[in-house]
Structure formats: structure tokens, C-alpha cells
Amino acid sequence: TTDQVQGWERQAAELEALKQQLEQQIEGLMERVQKAKMEIAHRETRLSHRPDDAEKSQDDLVVSDKEVLTNEDEHLLDSFYFSLEEALRGTSEQIKEEAKGYLPLLEKAGITDDIIDIGCGRGEWLEVLRESGFRARGIDQNHFAVEHCRGLSLDVVESEARAYLRSLPDESVSAITAFHFAEHLPLEALVSFLDQAGRTLKPGGLLILETPNPENLLVGSCNFYLDPTHKNPIPIPTMTLLLESRGFCCQQVLKLHPV
């Protein structure tokens, strides 16, 4: 009957409203859990520092890292590594075209500025961002890469990644991107980098990492080792677990390219 149909429709509407209410509550709880996990990770990092390290100011830490970077040994391979990218990474035009696939992620999050690109290299991603109306700064400690980017009128700082992030205030960055950076770091340094990224990102900010996928047999057995500065491949489950252990919510894994 008509009354029965109307009754079912009311029940369906009530159930839908209840479902939406529960989903909102669950989303709120997940955000609180994520925030708590990140705070725990930050506390672990602070507690792991020696007492004399804890007494150092932020300025002391940044100066210390700059002093390390003045060591000529840190830059002996800058020219070689820049040449390696030129020979093996692909042309700048190819890299720019591939990098455009990340623009929708920023657009969906409503992010247009305060973007930091770690290990910016030849600056392809920075160029894509600039051409698309985004404001970003690149960070790299390779002399040749920095000079190349500055020749393109890109905003680039020569610095070690963690030292630069330590110099930033809490919750001051909208997005941090790092393409082919994570696989260059020992585990302890990668954890430290993620903690600094979590500290400096604004609520709702994005961390975008691109790294070779060892699930591809050619990558895992050969191509990864063409770059002698790579430490070790990072399988997807390991990276996901590492991110979540430091308080991030791993929203999406994109397998973008065949190799």
C-alpha cells in the first residue's frame, strides 16, 4: 500500500542518515587516532635524543648540519650524480610529463602554495608546479642541481633535507614531495625525515613519495642498482607500515610506470 511504501521510504531515509552520522564519527575517531600516533612518534624521537642534544636550540642544529655540508667530501660526487641523472633518469620532458600525474592530488586537497620538494634534482616537478600556478620551493644539496635549477629561475635552497625541515616552524607547510629520495636514506635517517615532515605539515597536508617498486623484477634485480647511491629497495608494504607507524595515513598507492 501507499502507507507501507512511505513507511519504508522513511525507514530508508532514517537508516541513511544514521549511516552518514556513523561514518562521520568513525572519520573523526580515525583522525584522532592518526594525530595520537604522530604525537607518540614525535615523543619517541625526542626521548631518543641524548640529554646534551636536547639542550641544543633549533639554530644550533641547523648550523651543525651546515658545518657538515661544508666538508668537501660531501660534494665530491655532485658532478657524477648529476651526470648519472642526465644519462639514466630520462629527459626532462619525459619526467615533466610523468610528474603531471600528481597535480590532481594537490588540486583535490586544495593546495596551491607552501609546497616543498625534497631532492628536487633538475627541477622538473618544480617547473610543472610553476606552469600550473602552484608556488613551491625545492631543496637539494647537490651543487650542480641547485645551480641548474636557479638557471631556470626556480626557487631552490641548497641544504640537507632534514636540516632544512628542522629550520621550519610546526605546521607551516601544505605539502612535501620527495621523488626518488627515500631509497637514498638509511632506515634511521628515513624515520627522522618522516618525523620532520609530520611536524612541519599543516593539518590535512600531503606527503607524496615516489620510489622504485621492487615488485617489478627488472627494477628489484637490476635497475635499482644502476644508481650506486641507492641504499635498498623499499617494498610497498614496508613503506606503508613505516608511514603509518610515524602517524601518517597512507591514502593511496599509485603504480605509475612499468619499470
Side-chain angles (χ1 to χ4, degrees):
T1 66
T2 302
D3 290 342
Q4 287 177 320
V5 171
Q6 291 177 343
W8 292 335
E9 289 176 346
R10 283 196 302 271
Q11 289 179 353
E14 291 172 357
L15 287 173
E16 181 62 27
L18 180 61
K19 177 185 175 183
Q20 292 179 3
Q21 183 180 357
L22 288 173
E23 288 177 347
Q24 290 175 354
Q25 291 177 349
I26 291 172
E27 184 178 349
L29 287 172
M30 292 299 293
E31 289 179 356
R32 290 168 60 186
V33 169
Q34 179 189 350
K35 186 175 180 180
K37 289 173 67 176
M38 187 165 286
E39 178 60 28
I40 290 171
H42 292 168
R43 289 182 181 179
E44 287 177 349
T45 300
R46 289 195 294 267
L47 289 173
S48 67
H49 291 161
R50 295 175 300 176
D52 56 329
D53 288 339
E55 293 174 0
K56 293 181 180 179
S57 67
Q58 291 284 73
D59 290 339
D60 291 336
L61 289 170
V62 174
V63 169
S64 177
D65 282 316
K66 286 181 178 178
E67 289 172 354
V68 171
L69 286 175
T70 59
N71 188 328
E72 291 184 359
D73 291 343
E74 293 288 331
H75 298 283
L76 285 175
L77 297 179
D78 280 5
S79 177
F80 166 75
Y81 187 77
F82 190 76
S83 300
L84 190 74
E85 279 210 330
E86 288 285 310
L88 301 179
R89 183 84 193 278
T91 66
S92 292
E93 290 72 21
Q94 290 173 327
I95 300 303
K96 286 178 65 175
E97 194 61 33
E98 293 174 355
K100 291 178 182 177
Y102 292 105
L103 291 175
L105 300 178
L106 297 174
E107 293 167 351
K108 183 179 179 181
I111 294 172
T112 58
D113 55 13
D114 293 328
I115 302 168
I116 301 295
D117 183 34
I118 300 295
C120 60
R122 296 179 298 183
E124 293 94 347
W125 174 233
L126 293 175
E127 286 190 278
V128 168
L129 290 171
R130 181 174 62 183
E131 292 165 4
S132 303
F134 295 84
R135 296 180 61 187
R137 168 174 290 178
I139 310 300
D140 208 297
Q141 64 183 110
N142 185 303
H143 287 322
F144 289 86
V146 170
E147 290 304 312
H148 174 81
C149 289
R150 288 175 177 168
L152 298 172
S153 299
L154 297 169
D155 182 5
V156 178
V157 174
E158 184 176 332
S159 176
E160 193 274 332
R162 290 174 296 159
Y164 182 80
L165 291 178
R166 276 198 292 266
S167 71
L168 300 179
D170 294 354
E171 299 182 359
S172 59
V173 179
S174 297
I176 295 174
T177 61
F179 300 151
H180 294 265
F181 173 76
E183 67 272 15
H184 291 266
L185 301 180
L187 178 60
E188 295 80 1
L190 179 55
V191 169
S192 174
F193 165 72
L194 293 178
D195 287 347
Q196 288 300 324
R199 180 187 65 80
T200 55
L201 279 172
K202 300 175 183 178
L206 288 182
L207 173 66
I208 300 176
L209 303 176
E210 181 178 285
T211 186
N213 182 6
E215 290 180 354
N216 180 288
L217 293 180
L218 184 60
V219 172
S221 63
C222 179
N223 286 4
F224 182 86
Y225 302 99
L226 292 174
D227 186 340
T229 65
H230 282 174
K231 297 301 181 184
N232 53 268
I234 309 175
I236 292 172
T238 303
M239 179 65 84
T240 301
L241 181 62
L242 182 58
L243 287 165
E244 292 178 347
S245 73
R246 309 318 294 176
F248 289 91
C249 176
C250 189
Q251 294 182 336
Q252 194 172 9
V253 176
L254 303 174
K255 299 181 182 180
L256 295 177
H257 317 300
V259 294

